[in-house]
């Protein structure tokens, strides 16, 4: 009865509608959500390709290109990154090419050139942080670089830059 409800409220299972979380509670709930792989930004527009959900037309183009050129790819899990305020966030690259040990992230020009309201930095700057903090390589693909020929060029160009 009433005692159970009171206990549920105390335990945070039930939240009265008039209740406002403290900053500490918000932080705790955010951590719980992250541990349970919940939250984060999700697009509502998905394209299904060979049983895999893709989030944009660009991703669809890249998936087709990789398949047409017999390039193995997978949908990777997320990487954690820390913003300039010390908050941790998840970043999901769109593709991982195991044979090249590289991640691909097709992006539209708007996301490449404009700062996000959430982080105050562009996706390019965010991805730069993800790469540095996780020691991985992510290639951002704009609308002109969705073909395997251009992707391959970007993969190899970076390798040549590293050679002495």
């Amino acid at each position: 009865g009433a005692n159970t409800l009171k206990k549920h409220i105390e335990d945070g299972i039930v939240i009265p509608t008039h209740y406002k979380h403290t900053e500490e509670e918000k932080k705790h709930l955010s951590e719980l959500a992250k541990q349970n792989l919940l939250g984060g930004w999700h697009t509502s527009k998905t394209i299904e390709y060979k049983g895999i959900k893709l989030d944009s037309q660009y991703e669809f183009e890249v998936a087709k290109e990789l398949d047409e050129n017999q390039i193995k790819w997978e949908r990777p899990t997320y990487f954690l990154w820390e913003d300039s305020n010390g908050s941790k966030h998840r970043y999901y690259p769109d593709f991982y090419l195991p044979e090249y040990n590289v991640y691909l992230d097709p992006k539209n020009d708007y996301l490449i050139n404009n700062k996000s309201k959430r982080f105050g930095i562009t996706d390019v700057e965010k991805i730069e942080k993800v790469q540095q903090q996780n020691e991985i390589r992510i290639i951002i693909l704009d609308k002109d670089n969705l073909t395997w020929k251009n992707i391959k060029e970007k993969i190899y160009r970076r390798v040549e830059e590293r050679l002495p």
Side-chain angles (χ1 to χ4, degrees):
N3 286 342
T4 309
L5 180 60
K6 187 174 182 223
K7 175 103 176 80
H8 283 328
I9 291 171
E10 286 168 5
D11 293 343
I13 296 165
V14 172
I15 293 131
T17 52
H18 64 276
Y19 184 80
K20 293 276 184 254
H21 289 292
T22 64
E23 285 308 307
E24 191 179 321
E25 288 168 325
K26 285 181 190 173
K27 198 168 181 158
H28 175 69
L29 289 170
S30 172
E31 287 305 312
L32 285 176
K34 286 175 190 164
Q35 285 168 19
N36 292 311
L37 307 185
L38 300 170
W41 182 86
H42 299 285
T43 178
S44 57
K45 182 187 152 204
T46 57
I47 299 166
E48 196 158 312
Y49 172 72
K50 297 186 176 182
I52 297 164
K53 285 189 186 346
L54 302 174
D55 296 326
S56 71
Q57 186 63 36
Y58 287 3
E59 287 181 32
F60 176 65
E61 299 293 328
V62 170
K64 278 193 331 192
E65 271 295 305
L66 295 173
D67 283 351
E68 283 167 15
N69 289 280
Q70 289 90 46
I71 306 302
K72 282 192 193 122
W73 61 274
E74 46 196 64
R75 294 292 268 182
T77 184
Y78 67 88
F79 290 95
L80 287 177
W81 68 281
E82 197 171 299
D83 65 23
S84 54
N85 299 321
S87 294
K88 287 200 186 324
H89 307 278
R90 282 178 290 160
Y91 163 76
Y92 291 85
D94 295 316
F95 298 93
Y96 176 63
L97 309 186
E99 292 163 342
Y100 298 89
N101 189 28
V102 70
Y103 295 86
L104 304 178
D105 197 340
K107 293 262 175 239
N108 67 45
D109 289 348
Y110 184 84
L111 291 173
I112 290 172
N113 298 315
N114 293 281
K115 292 182 187 263
S116 97
K117 286 182 181 72
R118 183 168 176 210
F119 301 120
I121 55 176
T122 65
D123 270 21
V124 175
E125 293 167 313
K126 175 180 80 178
I127 288 169
E128 200 53 49
K129 285 181 182 285
V130 174
Q131 289 187 99
Q132 290 166 355
Q133 294 173 15
N134 292 278
E135 296 180 3
I136 58 172
R137 181 159 171 231
I138 304 164
I139 296 175
I140 297 170
L141 304 172
D142 65 13
K143 68 180 179 297
D144 301 323
N145 286 293
L146 304 176
T147 64
W148 174 239
K149 179 182 176 284
N150 290 3
I151 294 168
K152 194 167 55 176
E153 249 173 52
K154 285 182 167 289
I155 290 172
Y156 288 116
R157 186 178 316 134
R158 186 76 174 273
V159 170
E160 285 166 19
E161 286 168 9
R162 286 201 195 130
L163 295 174

